[in-house]
Amino acid sequence: MSSDVIVETQSKPRYSQAVRTSFWFVIVALVCLLFSDISITTQDPWTELKRMGWGIITPNFLDYRTILEALVQTIAFALVGVALGAGGGFILAQFFHIGIVRWACAFVRAIHEIFWALIFLQMLGLTPLTGLLAIGIPYAGICAKVYAETLEEADLRAEKAVPGGSGLLSTFFYARLPEVWAHIVHYTSYRFECGLRSSAVLGFIGMPTLGFHLESAFGEGNYSDAAALLIAFYILIVTLRFWMRGRLLWLYLLAAPLFLTGGSEIKLTNIVRFLTSDIVPAPLRIGDFSGFVDWIVSMFQTQVLPGVFATVILTQIALVMTAFLALVLFPLISEKFFGQFGRSIGHVFLVIVRSTPEFILAYIFLQLWGPSMLPAIVALSLHNGAIIGHLMGRYSNEILLRPDHGKGLNLYGYEIVPRIYGQFLAFLFYRWEVIMRETAILGILGIATLGFFVDSAIADIRLDRAMFLIFITAILNIGIDIISRKLRARLRINQTVEAV
Amino acid sequence: MKTRRLYTGFVVALAALAWVAIGNPTAANAQAKEFVFTAIPDQDETQLRKRFNKIADYLSKELGIKVKYIPVKSYAAAVTAFRNGEVHLAWFGGLSGVRARSLVDGSVAIAQGFEDKSFETYFIAHASSGLKPADSFPKEIAGKTFTFGSKGSTSGRLMPEFHIRENLKKAPEEVFSKVGFSGNHSKTIALVQSGAYQVGAVNFKVWEKELKAGKIDESKVQVIWRTPPYPDYQWTIRGDVEKTWQAGFVDRVKNALLNMKDKELLDSFPRSSFIPASNSDYQPIKDVAKEIKLIDD
């Protein structure tokens, strides 16, 4: 009897590969938890938290002109930036089978928009072009990947029916593209929402978008002003589908460049200096090759290794927390679980959680719990959990249920979750590298991630170090990309997902 | 149809880029003759904007040219804008000024606030830390959690780090159980007041201002040590302004700053007056920055 059981378990594992993969991720996160530092040390957070709470219930819209102007700028930067990214990405997607293109795309999207902006700030100053390229370049890399994968999976029947002798272009535009057009449009519109967030965040480093004023108001403790800006941003995102419509888009795109402001002329000398001198490691600038070796060694010892360690630990824990939160949050906007009214509330809640910049979440939790990895983990996983929850909720709406399906927890546990689990993992794997990039911007918590060291190098105007660390970050990111691609292939998860 | 839409989209995007890249030509021309300055964002930025817009008006009247203030988001951005020639004049801290002048040949420190000759950093601590005010460096801060201000700040980073290393013979990461960078002085105060960090280092002017404004509860957070004085903020100007405006322009700007008597303007800094400054006044800052390796030799 016992031998029967053994044979049975060997030939047919009890758990699916997806579940076992998830299990391993949880194990890794638990191990990381051992190395992380999570402690609660605060004394009396309530004074500050009360002030914040008071700010939220008394938003100050008096300075509505600043808010409106910032909103217009945020939209304008997002529109033109995403258009550049989508256009560039579409062209690159055609060449995505070429190794170098694929690598280049992986490389550019591995660098956080903030870092792109900091790089262009050195060359182009506070010109609109800095902000546009900071969005456009990484988005081109992301769009290229998703468009290429979408095109690859297109239904080829139409293409096969095209008469022989038709040109490549005609075949592409009349037989291949229409098959996937809806998906591309859908994805690009999702990208636009991300673009709005990116655009807002670029304000933190000086673009005239929402983040500019938000960071000021928040930094100074003017929480009523900060609340007004945040509320305006939430409304912008919630109403997105009402004002972002097909035909209007072209009107917006034509108008947007007129609104981009700020900055002075672009000087070629600054660009040349940055490329030929600033980013060259300091010892090499004076031709000191042995000094260069020391430089590399010291960079690895003092920044790269500790930075990679902290980054990976934080990322893995936040990833698993994100997964749990997403699983809890997605029913809030799913037709399978809530009626119209409940879903509306769910939508608003998810918009608030995913549109509040992580550094604000991190600051709130820092006040609550004191400095450790805890505020970072919670801030990252709330933000990303709400994004994946949103995508999963939408995805779950497309599931067709049998008439005799279960209800409540049974429906959740035995029907919906198992059926969307593959997609859920795919969303997570895509989000994995994003979470890693986002660990970069939590210096206030004193966690020495790679991003923390990049930020320090830029603060010290040591651009050679900054570029070196950005390069390392990009490589780490590409590593994650490779692992997640392998995992997706092994789990045979649908490749074309939208959550990058 | 779809193809056309896609192409239209792409053409529009390219056109937009071109437009931006060329940068609305009329605007660029108007800017060419404009005298532009910036300031490090060391505190309340809404206040900074009000303050420096008034300074722009004042300078414009005194110099008889168009003067504009542009706000930036970080110390590094202020230095970069100065280096790249986006701004001609800047209100820097000690360290950012040293950095900016070493990057731009011919740039000079022309004026500082009366108080900047002998600026101070206050070490502040939360009541629960058990730390008490003292005249000598409080060595008991070792092992506590600690926050600096901005990474590029003189009073919030450079000087406190210098004294920590000097007295405890170790890097801050080794001295404290946690080291954070709050971003600015106001946040440092808020974070120590709530006990999120036990100890912090703050610009004494900002501390006094917030104390006066009633934002500080001294039963929760108090000053435990004051650093010896050091030179801090100053106005620094690019040498090449004399090419755009005529020779002697640097002195004209300097005189305009030194002659600023409007109490309201001065209070907004807050400084009692501006006095002459020179690059060599900041040699001590440069030495300290080199010593703790915040700038290269």
Side-chain angles (χ1 to χ4, degrees):
Chain A
M1 178 209 152
S2 59
S3 68
D4 275 349
V5 173
I6 290 166
V7 171
E8 181 72 18
T9 45
Q10 272 173 353
S11 65
K12 199 172 150 212
R14 225 177 123 203
Y15 296 105
S16 73
Q17 196 132 47
V19 171
R20 276 185 292 156
T21 307
S22 317
F23 178 73
W24 279 111
F25 269 89
V26 174
I27 296 286
V28 169
L30 287 175
V31 172
C32 288
L33 214 48
L34 294 178
F35 291 97
S36 72
D37 121 67
I38 287 177
S39 53
I40 297 181
T41 52
T42 340
Q43 303 300 327
D44 38 9
W46 300 110
T47 326
E48 184 79 352
L49 290 178
K50 255 188 252 160
R51 290 185 54 216
M52 291 171 121
W54 182 245
I56 293 168
I57 49 176
T58 59
N60 170 22
F61 287 99
L62 279 179
D63 197 2
Y64 64 91
R65 281 180 56 187
T66 308
I67 300 177
L68 278 181
E69 211 183 298
L71 281 182
V72 169
Q73 294 286 339
T74 305
I75 300 171
F77 272 97
L79 268 170
V80 184
V82 174
L84 284 173
F90 189 78
I91 294 174
L92 286 170
Q94 313 311 316
F95 306 99
F96 209 70
H97 53 277
I98 306 172
I100 183 119
V101 174
R102 213 166 45 236
W103 284 105
C105 288
F107 186 78
V108 297
R109 70 168 184 270
I111 297 171
H112 196 283
E113 296 95 278
I114 292 257
F115 291 153
W116 277 115
L118 286 169
I119 291 170
F120 286 115
L121 207 56
Q122 298 295 330
M123 294 191 269
L124 309 172
L126 280 168
T127 50
L129 196 57
T130 295
L132 295 181
L133 292 177
I135 298 176
I137 291 180
Y139 278 41
I142 297 164
C143 288
K145 172 179 168 171
V146 175
Y147 292 166
E149 286 173 355
T150 312
L151 284 165
E152 217 167 82
E153 301 209 346
D155 187 340
L156 297 181
R157 275 173 297 182
E159 201 166 320
K160 287 190 182 123
V162 170
S166 310
L168 267 177
L169 271 181
S170 326
T171 313
F172 176 76
F173 282 112
Y174 287 100
R176 176 74 77 101
L177 190 56
E179 288 295 332
V180 292
W181 183 249
H183 190 272
I184 286 187
V185 168
H186 183 77
Y187 177 74
T188 311
S189 69
Y190 164 75
R191 238 17 279 164
F192 180 67
E193 189 193 314
C194 303
L196 282 173
R197 278 197 294 270
S198 301
S199 167
V201 165
L202 288 182
F204 300 161
I205 56 122
M207 293 293 120
T209 59
L210 210 89
F212 189 99
H213 306 284
L214 182 60
E215 202 258 359
S216 305
F218 194 78
E220 294 145 28
N222 297 333
Y223 296 125
S224 296
D225 295 354
L229 287 158
L230 272 178
I231 290 169
F233 190 56
Y234 299 150
I235 293 173
L236 187 74
I237 301 277
V238 171
T239 57
L240 193 56
R241 61 199 161 117
F242 301 114
W243 55 268
M244 184 44 87
R245 307 216 103 130
R247 272 162 218 283
L248 284 174
L249 178 64
W250 304 120
L251 189 69
Y252 294 148
L253 264 177
L254 279 171
L258 303 175
F259 288 98
L260 297 172
T261 57
S264 53
E265 52 193 319
I266 291 166
K267 292 195 186 113
L268 190 63
T269 47
N270 292 333
I271 301 175
V272 171
R273 187 205 60 219
F274 179 80
L275 295 175
T276 59
S277 163
D278 286 356
I279 61 172
V280 177
L284 282 187
R285 263 178 252 158
I286 49 168
D288 174 6
F289 287 97
S290 68
F292 177 58
V293 175
D294 296 342
W295 185 87
I296 297 256
V297 170
S298 133
M299 284 296 286
F300 263 89
Q301 280 175 349
T302 57
Q303 307 193 10
V304 174
L305 295 179
V308 168
F309 184 73
T311 304
V312 169
I313 298 267
L314 182 54
T315 304
Q316 291 315 109
I317 302 175
L319 180 69
V320 169
M321 276 281 285
T322 298
F324 279 114
L325 271 168
L327 285 173
V328 172
L329 292 176
F330 87 86
L332 293 181
I333 62 156
S334 171
E335 285 166 14
K336 303 289 185 288
F337 297 98
F338 286 97
Q340 179 90 49
F341 180 71
R343 286 205 311 278
S344 304
I345 295 175
H347 264 296
V348 171
F349 176 72
L350 287 191
V351 164
I352 289 177
V353 178
R354 73 175 186 267
S355 309
T356 307
E358 297 96 312
F359 96 95
I360 289 189
L361 294 176
Y363 182 79
I364 294 172
F365 298 125
L366 169 63
Q367 281 290 1
L368 262 179
W369 302 319
S372 74
M373 272 198 186
L374 189 61
I377 293 168
V378 176
L380 285 173
S381 38
L382 268 178
H383 178 80
N384 290 293
I387 289 176
I388 297 184
H390 166 72
L391 295 168
M392 279 167 71
R394 280 204 322 200
Y395 188 78
S396 72
N397 289 343
E398 283 159 29
I399 290 180
L400 291 176
L401 292 175
R402 297 186 318 192
D404 62 340
H405 65 78
K407 288 232 170 355
L409 270 183
N410 282 336
L411 174 65
Y412 178 86
Y414 291 109
E415 184 89 34
I416 303 288
V417 171
R419 285 177 69 178
I420 62 173
Y421 201 78
Q423 196 63 31
F424 159 70
L425 284 185
F427 287 144
L428 266 181
F429 290 152
Y430 271 97
R431 208 66 208 171
W432 193 359
E433 49 175 280
V434 181
I435 293 175
M436 208 208 81
R437 282 202 291 276
E438 287 171 348
T439 60
I441 48 174
L442 300 166
I444 193 171
L445 306 172
I447 303 167
T449 59
L450 278 173
F452 172 86
F453 290 115
V454 174
D455 181 61
S456 300
I458 286 177
D460 294 349
I461 328 260
R462 283 168 166 156
L463 305 171
D464 50 345
R465 297 189 188 188
M467 285 305 276
F468 182 75
L469 290 165
I470 287 176
F471 186 76
I472 300 280
T473 314
I475 291 181
L476 190 58
N477 226 315
I478 291 171
I480 285 188
D481 188 47
I482 292 171
I483 299 175
S484 82
R485 205 167 48 225
K486 288 229 161 97
L487 282 173
R488 284 201 312 273
R490 214 178 74 184
L491 301 174
R492 291 188 203 86
I493 296 170
N494 177 12
Q495 299 280 314
T496 59
V497 286
E498 47 198 81
V500 182
Chain B
M1 169 63 195
K2 277 163 187 168
T3 327
R4 235 181 35 220
R5 260 205 251 166
L6 202 73
Y7 274 135
T8 328
F10 190 59
V11 169
V12 169
L14 273 188
L17 182 68
W19 170 273
V20 178
I22 298 162
N24 197 334
T26 46
N29 281 341
Q31 276 168 359
K33 276 284 168 195
E34 215 168 23
F35 184 61
V36 187
F37 72 99
T38 191
I40 50 168
D42 60 334
Q43 48 171 319
D44 198 323
E45 284 168 53
T46 333
Q47 296 300 327
L48 288 183
R49 200 181 281 233
K50 274 187 207 143
R51 175 206 293 179
F52 287 110
N53 282 332
K54 277 190 223 154
I55 298 286
D57 292 343
Y58 169 82
L59 285 177
S60 181
K61 213 174 77 202
E62 293 288 305
L63 300 170
I65 54 172
K66 259 185 108 175
V67 180
K68 190 173 96 177
Y69 160 68
I70 57 166
V72 292
K73 280 309 222 183
S74 66
Y75 289 56
V79 174
T80 302
F82 185 82
R83 178 191 198 189
N84 285 353
E86 277 189 272
V87 300
H88 310 106
L89 172 77
W91 173 243
F92 282 128
L95 177 60
S96 43
V98 163
R99 282 192 170 125
R101 288 191 297 277
S102 74
L103 291 168
V104 181
D105 286 337
S107 57
V108 281
I110 49 176
Q112 61 183 348
F114 179 77
E115 290 82 349
D116 294 307
K117 283 185 304 180
S118 52
F119 214 78
E120 285 173 37
T121 293
Y122 287 175
F123 278 57
I124 57 174
H126 189 261
S128 70
S129 68
L131 295 165
K132 293 277 169 276
D135 289 331
S136 59
F137 183 88
K139 294 198 170 171
E140 323 73 81
I141 61 176
K144 309 275 188 219
T145 58
F146 182 91
T147 183
F148 289 110
S150 166
K151 286 176 182 168
S153 164
T154 308
S155 52
R157 165 76 189 281
L158 176 72
M159 294 317 290
E161 176 160 347
F162 171 72
H163 287 289
I164 289 163
R165 284 177 184 264
E166 182 89 343
N167 286 286
L168 299 170
K169 308 289 176 217
K170 275 193 260 176
E173 310 86 79
E174 298 160 29
V175 170
F176 302 109
S177 63
K178 298 267 170 46
V179 179
F181 290 91
S182 71
N184 68 37
H185 300 296
S186 315
K187 276 275 167 284
T188 303
I189 297 173
L191 285 167
V192 178
Q193 176 150 264
S194 74
Y197 283 99
Q198 292 170 297
V199 188
V202 65
N203 172 323
F204 84 122
K205 277 282 168 196
V206 176
W207 171 268
E208 282 169 4
K209 201 171 161 189
E210 299 219 345
L211 195 62
K212 225 190 238 171
K215 287 187 187 167
I216 296 173
D217 177 352
E218 281 187 289
S219 71
K220 288 185 178 151
V221 54
Q222 60 174 342
V223 177
I224 55 164
W225 186 60
R226 297 156 196 234
T227 62
Y230 53 87
D232 205 344
Y233 294 77
Q234 87 297 147
W235 290 99
T236 293
I237 192 165
R238 284 179 66 98
D240 60 8
V241 289
E242 302 215 332
K243 276 190 221 141
T244 314
W245 292 275
Q246 62 286 52
F249 186 72
V250 169
D251 282 332
R252 286 181 57 207
V253 175
K254 181 173 181 169
N255 288 331
L257 292 169
L258 298 182
N259 291 331
M260 200 186 294
K261 299 287 181 248
D262 184 344
K263 193 164 173 335
E264 201 193 321
L265 268 184
L266 289 167
D267 279 351
S268 70
F269 273 84
R271 298 291 185 273
S272 48
S273 67
F274 285 110
I275 57 173
S278 68
N279 290 4
S280 58
D281 290 343
Y282 292 88
Q283 191 60 40
I285 293 290
K286 202 172 188 169
D287 295 340
V288 166
K290 274 184 190 167
E291 198 173 324
I292 66 172
K293 298 201 161 44
L294 275 180
I295 56 176
D296 298 319
D297 294 318

